[in-house]
Amino acid sequence: MNVLVWLAGILLVLMIMVGGKSGARSFFSLFLNFGVIFFTMFFMLDPSANPILITFIASTLIGCISLFYINEVNSKTIIAFISTIITIVILLSFIVIVSDKLMIQGFGEEEEEAIAGLSLYIGVDFMKIGASVIIMSTIGAIMDVAISIASTMHEVFKHNPVLSKKELFKTGVSIGRDILGTDTNTLFFAFFGGYLALLIWFKDLEYSIGEIVNSKIFSSEMILILCAGMGIALVIPIASWINANFLVRTTKKTEKI
C-alpha cells in the first residue's frame, strides 16, 4: 500500500511540474473517472438495467470530466465532446450487431474450471456487457484524437483564417491520418500486452493456430482491438467536419457583425 501511495505521489508531482494546474486536474480526474466506472459496474448488476444505456451515460460523464474539467469549457472541448459522443453512438450500434452475430458472449471452454463452483444465473446480458467493455476501453483514445484534431485545426485557422471549409476539412483529415497509425498501434499493443499470459496459456494447452483464432476469448479480444481502431478512424472525419463548419461559420458571423 505504501508503494502505491508513493507512486501516486510521484505521478502527481510529475504531472504538476509538466502541466501545472492542468496537470493537477488531470491527476484528480483519474479518481473521478474511476468513480464513474465503479458506479457503472454497480448499476449494471441490476438485472432490469440496460448496460448499453448505462455505458452511454458513463461515457458522457467521462467525456465531461476528461474534456471540460481538465481543459475547461471552450469551443475546442465542446467540439471534441460532440465528436466523441457521435462516434460512440455509431460504434455502440455497430458493436451490438457484431457481438450478436459472432455470439462471443458468455464464457469460453478454457474458463470451465475457473467458473465450475460459481452460479451462472446472474441475470446479466453478456452480449451487452461485452459491447460496454469495448466502448469503455476505447473512449480514451477517441477523446484523445478528437481534442487533438480540434486543437490543431483551431490553431491552423487562427494563423490562416482565409481557409475554406473544404480546405479545413482536408487539414483535419490529414492531421488525423498521422494520429491514426500511432493510436491504433498503441491500442493493439496495450490489449495484447495485457493478454500476453493468455497467449502463453494457449501455447501451454498446445492449441493450433486454427483453435486459437476460433476460440471465444481470442475472438472477443480481436473484436475489442478492431472496434477500437474503427472508433479512432470514425472520429477523424467527424471531428474534422464539425470543426471546419464551426470555424467558418463563426468567422462569417464575426464579419457580418
Side-chain angles (χ1 to χ4, degrees):
M1 186 64 184
N2 290 333
V3 176
L4 291 176
V5 173
W6 273 103
L7 286 174
I10 292 169
L11 176 62
L12 175 59
V13 170
L14 287 173
M15 292 180 80
I16 291 174
M17 286 175 62
V18 175
K21 289 182 179 179
S22 180
R25 286 197 294 266
S26 299
F27 179 81
F28 290 112
S29 71
L30 295 174
F31 296 96
L32 293 173
N33 285 330
F34 175 78
V36 172
I37 293 171
F38 177 80
F39 282 107
T40 299
M41 292 188 294
F42 178 78
F43 285 118
M44 281 185 180
L45 292 174
D46 185 354
S48 61
N50 186 341
I52 301 298
L53 179 60
I54 292 172
T55 301
F56 178 74
I57 295 170
S59 299
T60 304
L61 291 172
I62 290 170
C64 290
I65 293 168
S66 301
L67 293 171
F68 300 139
Y69 174 68
I70 297 174
N71 300 301
E72 301 180 349
V73 179
N74 52 55
S75 59
K76 291 181 285 188
T77 53
I78 291 171
I79 293 171
F81 177 76
I82 293 170
S83 305
T84 301
I85 295 301
I86 293 171
T87 305
I88 286 171
V89 170
I90 296 170
L91 203 57
L92 262 176
S93 305
F94 177 77
I95 290 168
V96 169
I97 296 169
V98 170
S99 299
D100 187 44
K101 295 293 183 184
L102 287 176
M103 296 182 290
I104 59 167
Q105 62 270 23
F107 299 96
E109 59 184 16
E110 299 85 6
E111 299 164 301
E112 286 178 359
E113 186 178 342
I115 63 174
L118 304 176
S119 172
L120 301 181
Y121 299 101
I122 59 175
V124 174
D125 189 334
F126 279 99
M127 187 271 289
K128 291 180 179 177
I129 293 294
S132 300
V133 169
I134 294 171
I135 290 297
M136 298 299 281
S137 302
T138 59
I139 184 172
I142 292 171
M143 283 190 298
D144 179 45
V145 175
I147 191 65
S148 297
I149 290 174
S151 297
T152 310
M153 286 184 70
H154 273 68
E155 198 65 28
V156 168
F157 192 71
K158 180 181 176 181
H159 290 89
N160 195 0
V162 296
L163 289 173
S164 66
K165 191 185 298 184
K166 187 177 180 181
E167 288 171 329
L168 274 171
F169 177 76
K170 287 182 177 179
T171 301
V173 173
S174 178
I175 295 162
R177 286 197 191 106
D178 295 332
I179 301 171
L180 180 62
T182 53
D183 269 28
T184 305
N185 276 291
T186 300
L187 287 169
F188 177 82
F189 289 116
F191 291 144
F192 263 101
Y195 281 87
L196 185 61
L198 176 65
L199 299 176
I200 295 171
W201 188 21
F202 282 149
K203 177 68 174 65
D204 225 21
L205 294 171
E206 297 182 352
Y207 273 27
S208 65
I209 297 297
E211 286 172 323
I212 292 174
V213 172
N214 287 288
S215 68
K216 186 175 287 188
I217 299 177
F218 184 83
S219 297
S220 62
E221 291 310 310
M222 282 306 300
I223 288 174
L224 195 64
I225 294 167
L226 294 173
C227 288
M230 288 173 61
I232 295 171
L234 274 172
V235 77
I236 291 170
I238 291 171
S240 300
W241 185 82
I242 295 174
N243 275 288
N245 276 275
F246 170 80
L247 291 169
V248 172
R249 191 177 298 173
T250 304
T251 302
K252 287 180 179 179
K253 285 182 180 179
T254 306
E255 288 173 353
K256 285 180 181 178
I257 294 170

